[in-house]
Amino acid sequence: QVQLIESGGGLVQAGGSLRLSCAASGRTFSIYAMGWFRQAPGKEREFVARITWTRGGSSLYADSVKGRFTISRDNAKNMVNLQMNSLKPEDTAVYYCAASRGLGAFTEPDYWGQGTQVTVSS
């Protein structure tokens, strides 16, 4: 079992920044990749970013956040962070941390956090 706890959500003005964190506990040795999804009201859940636990890490971003968001990891703390800059109102959503045991696509994570609200005002 793996537990994921998100933190860092909040309310910011357009153009501002937030930093989300996700701490993993339990059988963390089974994790291959960790990342973030988000879901806005009335919309489907969408992929945001992920990073693998391989040497150096391999990062992947959704086109909508490239150049604005940066994902990073802290192996010693079993933690991933998402630095979100130049935030837009359309970034408003509940952000969910996720972790996967698989080696392939990050489409069906095995573990989910409870979510943290990010609201960007215009």
Side-chain angles (χ1 to χ4, degrees):
Q1 294 286 348
V2 171
Q3 294 182 359
L4 305 174
I5 304 296
E6 305 101 329
S7 62
L11 173 65
V12 297
Q13 191 174 1
S17 299
L18 282 175
R19 187 176 182 86
L20 305 182
S21 296
C22 176
S25 62
R27 296 184 176 90
T28 56
F29 58 84
S30 67
I31 296 174
Y32 174 74
M34 292 182 65
W36 299 87
F37 289 78
R38 67 186 182 185
Q39 187 167 24
K43 295 187 176 181
E44 297 292 328
R45 182 184 64 192
E46 66 174 341
F47 168 77
V48 177
R50 71 106 173 91
I51 188 168
T52 66
W53 245 242
T54 56
R55 181 179 295 179
S58 178
S59 301
L60 182 67
Y61 299 91
D63 288 342
S64 59
V65 305
K66 286 181 179 177
R68 300 188 298 120
F69 291 11
T70 302
I71 190 168
S72 61
R73 68 184 190 185
D74 186 334
N75 290 355
K77 297 180 179 179
N78 292 316
M79 182 177 293
V80 293
N81 301 295
L82 186 68
Q83 179 66 45
M84 305 185 295
N85 298 325
S86 301
L87 283 163
K88 306 174 182 179
E90 50 263 45
D91 294 317
T92 295
V94 177
Y95 284 69
Y96 296 93
C97 180
S100 177
R101 301 177 307 214
L103 300 176
F106 200 62
T107 56
E108 290 289 343
D110 298 291
Y111 309 101
W112 294 91
Q114 66 185 71
T116 185
Q117 177 70 47
V118 171
T119 303
V120 184
S121 62
S122 59

